[in-house]
């Protein structure tokens, strides 16, 4: 099993920045990538960003390209999502995920509990 614990959500004004963290533990070696998804009120959960463990290659949804950056700290087994130039439409519960990288997407099979990000206008 893989355990994921997120932190770093909160309230920020439009144009501001937040950094989310996801600490992984357990059988992380059985997964080949980690990423972030988000779910806005009344909407489906959607992909935000992913990072491949073996190459550190990164992948982003078009809606966040150029504003969000995913990166990792191997020593801490932690993945981060740096979010800049936040917009009200970025408001959502953000979920950390671990799973198998498939080409340019992540097939998640482990989830964190979620952390709320609220961007005020």
């Amino acid at each position: 099993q893989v355990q994921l614990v997120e932190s770093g959500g909160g309230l920020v004004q439009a144009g501001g920045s937040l950094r989310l963290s996801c600490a992984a533990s357990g059988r992380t070696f059985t997964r080949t990538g980690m990423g972030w998804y988000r779910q806005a009120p009344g909407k489906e959960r959607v992909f935000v960003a992913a990072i491949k463990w073996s190459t550190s290659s990164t992948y982003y949804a078009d809606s966040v390209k150029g504003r969000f950056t995913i990166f990792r700290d191997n020593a801490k087994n932690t993945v981060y999502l740096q979010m800049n130039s936040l917009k009200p439409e970025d408001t959502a519960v953000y979920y950390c995920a671990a799973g198998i990288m498939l080409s340019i997407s992540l097939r998640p099979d482990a989830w964190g509990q979620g952390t709320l990000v609220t961007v005020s206008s």
Side-chain angles (χ1 to χ4, degrees), residues 8-19:
L11 173 65
V12 64
Q13 288 188 331
S17 299
L18 277 177
R19 178 179 292 183

Side-chain angles (χ1 to χ4, degrees), residues 66-100:
R67 300 188 298 121
F68 291 11
T69 302
I70 186 171
F71 60 100
R72 65 182 188 181
D73 183 331
N74 290 343
K76 296 182 179 180
N77 225 18
T78 298
V79 171
Y80 303 90
L81 185 68
Q82 177 66 42
M83 306 185 293
N84 298 329
S85 303
L86 283 161
K87 305 175 182 180
E89 51 264 43
D90 294 317
T91 294
V93 176
Y94 283 71
Y95 295 91
C96 178
I100 305 301

Side-chain angles (χ1 to χ4, degrees), residues 32-88:
T32 59
M34 286 183 64
W36 294 90
Y37 285 69
R38 68 186 182 186
Q39 187 167 17
K43 296 188 177 181
E44 295 184 348
R45 191 175 300 186
V46 297
F47 171 77
V48 175
I51 185 166
K52 188 174 183 179
W53 283 127
S54 61
T55 62
S56 292
S57 298
T58 57
Y59 308 92
Y60 299 94
D62 288 343
S63 59
V64 305
K65 279 181 182 176
R67 300 188 298 121
F68 291 11
T69 302
I70 186 171
F71 60 100
R72 65 182 188 181
D73 183 331
N74 290 343
K76 296 182 179 180
N77 225 18
T78 298
V79 171
Y80 303 90
L81 185 68
Q82 177 66 42
M83 306 185 293
N84 298 329
S85 303
L86 283 161
K87 305 175 182 180

